[in-house]
Amino acid sequence: GAVVSQHPSRVICKSGTSVKIECRSLDFQATTMFWYRQFPKQSLMLMATSNEGSKATYEQGVEKDKFLINHASLTLSTLTVTSAHPEDSSFYICSAWDREYDGYTFGSGTRLTVV
Amino acid sequence: TQLLEQSPQFLSIQEGENLTVYCNSSSVFSSLQWYRQEPGEGPVLLVTVVTGGEVKKLKRLTFQFGDARKDSSLHITAAQPGDTGLYLCAGTDSWGKLQFGAGTQVVVTP
């Protein structure tokens, strides 16, 4: 089936630094990828939709200058958390729609801890 | 505001018991999906229901889509400890984005 590879799986960074998270679609092309954030014991909240070759669209309340999304190719989307603060600590997950699989497939998530 | 309401939020049962999780919305969905998520991992798709009134079975799991395509349920028969996890329903909104319910944490104890 369709696989989305996400890394790193865990990252700890200092306040004020930036962190990049990568998601790659394996064996299929993803013109659109979705980025979610999940706080402990809560559901996934959609942050933004990443479109290959164009600007990402952000959900209400999500700062586009803080969460930079790049989707430069059909198989790679990146999320960069800039000037991270402890409140950005969360579980970040990407997802893509695979036409052949006829469903959304998710990355394994990235646990970000900002200290 | 969550587009999809899930209930209950938490369910703790003994091995061998049955359980049902509900997913409700005021909106009509062209399809609904159910996922299970383990701690520290991404959600894994269990099933997609498309047709109003549809019932799908996956071993001990039975999924139902309401006639009006606004609600769905997941029923697990003879639950096992391996069924423990966070169960999430999700639907594609009118902008083509997958939105999730709040989730139901299921714990099955031996």
Side-chain angles (χ1 to χ4, degrees):
Chain A
V3 175
V4 171
S5 174
Q6 182 174 347
H7 64 90
S9 58
R10 287 179 175 270
V11 58
I12 300 172
C13 70
K14 291 185 177 180
S15 280
T17 61
S18 296
V19 173
K20 182 185 282 188
I21 301 169
E22 289 190 353
C23 269
R24 293 181 184 273
S25 56
L26 308 182
D27 302 326
F28 73 102
Q29 294 180 334
T31 54
T32 302
M33 279 200 181
F34 302 92
W35 287 93
Y36 292 84
R37 181 167 53 184
Q38 186 177 31
F39 291 107
K41 299 189 188 299
Q42 294 187 24
S43 187
L44 284 76
M45 296 302 293
L46 181 64
M47 297 174 66
T49 302
S50 160
N51 303 295
E52 186 269 332
S54 64
K55 289 184 180 179
T57 55
Y58 291 81
E59 296 301 297
Q60 194 171 8
V62 178
E63 299 173 60
K64 61 180 180 181
D65 294 329
K66 181 169 187 59
F67 299 99
L68 300 179
I69 289 174
N70 185 279
H71 196 153
S73 78
L74 286 170
T75 58
L76 174 64
S77 176
T78 62
L79 167 68
T80 301
V81 182
T82 63
S83 187
H85 289 105
E87 56 264 32
D88 299 324
S89 298
S90 189
F91 193 56
Y92 293 86
I93 310 174
C94 62
S95 169
W97 173 268
D98 179 31
R99 197 173 301 173
E100 260 190 68
Y101 177 58
D102 194 26
Y104 294 92
T105 187
F106 287 80
S108 53
T110 297
R111 170 73 60 198
L112 170 64
T113 303
V114 185
V115 297
Chain B
T1 304
Q2 211 85 48
L3 203 59
L4 292 161
E5 301 286 337
Q6 270 188 253
S7 63
Q9 289 185 337
F10 183 80
L11 203 51
S12 179
I13 60 171
Q14 298 274 2
E15 183 176 2
E17 293 182 337
N18 303 331
L19 68 97
T20 303
V21 177
Y22 299 93
C23 178
N24 297 291
S25 176
S26 57
S27 304
V28 174
F29 287 91
S30 56
S31 67
L32 276 180
Q33 301 182 337
W34 284 93
Y35 294 82
R36 183 169 70 206
Q37 185 182 22
E38 306 284 345
E41 297 180 14
V44 174
L45 179 66
L46 296 174
V47 79
T48 299
V49 285
V50 178
T51 307
E54 181 178 9
V55 176
K56 278 191 174 178
K57 292 197 174 186
L58 189 67
K59 296 184 180 178
R60 294 177 292 100
L61 277 60
T62 302
F63 304 86
Q64 195 159 5
F65 200 13
D67 291 339
R69 291 185 289 134
K70 291 183 179 181
D71 56 274
S72 181
S73 65
L74 156 61
H75 182 80
I76 300 179
T77 304
Q80 298 177 1
D83 295 324
T84 294
L86 180 66
Y87 288 82
L88 298 154
C89 67
T92 304
D93 65 19
S94 52
W95 291 273
K97 301 172 187 175
L98 188 66
Q99 304 283 4
F100 284 84
T104 297
Q105 181 63 53
V106 171
V107 175
V108 183
T109 53

